[in-house]
Amino acid sequence: MSIRKLVVFGVGLIGGSCALALKRAGAVGEVVGVGRTRTNLDTALERRVVDRVRTLDEDWAVEARDADVVLLAAPVAQFPSLLVALAGPLGPQTIVTDAGSTKQDVIAAARAALGAHVAQFVPGHPIAGTEHTGAAAAFPSLFENRNVILTPLPENPADRVERIAALWQACGARVTTLAPARHDAI
């Protein structure tokens, strides 16, 4: 698994821990952190969770032009606007994935925002966490021996699904797949 550039929107417990785990595994070159608050992003920089940062006030979505992977690790309610922002600058090889706890609504938002580029979106849900939040709570072993559920779309090429599975496996997770409706029912 090798990711040249990872963009993490939501550098908290989940997004930050993913970045740290990939760095520890030597699976990522550059990590760009994107978020709402400068304070949390500064913490992420200080802790070397990310290599550089952008806030929502900046043109953050341009980072997707040359990213290998964009991870949406924000609250699910923010996904529709984030996906709309990504739709224009999304590079042709960029894979977008998420860490949202629900899938059918996220997939509907991705279909609406990305249109024909929805094949670049591979939905996922890491089943991990603690009671702590923010970049200060991130740690590289969060996903070790934890489950990550991928809910691939019919449009997803197998190699894109395999790359996202490999990303989570590099974090130490066990990866399985489910249909989105089955995931949400469980």
Side-chain angles (χ1 to χ4, degrees), residues 87-176:
L90 189 62
Q93 300 305 313
T94 303
I95 303 171
V96 180
T97 191
D98 76 300
S101 59
T102 59
K103 297 288 71 135
Q104 293 176 98
D105 56 340
V106 170
I107 291 168
R111 287 188 187 288
L114 302 176
H117 300 287
V118 75
Q120 292 177 247
F121 178 68
V122 179
H125 179 200
I127 314 296
T130 72
E131 68 279 11
H132 303 288
T133 62
F139 60 100
S141 61
L142 177 64
F143 303 107
E144 288 178 7
N145 299 310
R146 300 291 185 99
N147 293 317
V148 171
I149 311 298
L150 299 183
T151 58
L153 308 177
E155 298 91 339
N156 291 142
D159 66 319
R160 289 185 177 159
V161 176
E162 289 166 9
R163 281 193 50 85
I164 297 305
L167 176 152
W168 289 112
Q169 289 164 344
C171 293
R174 296 181 303 255
V175 178
T176 57

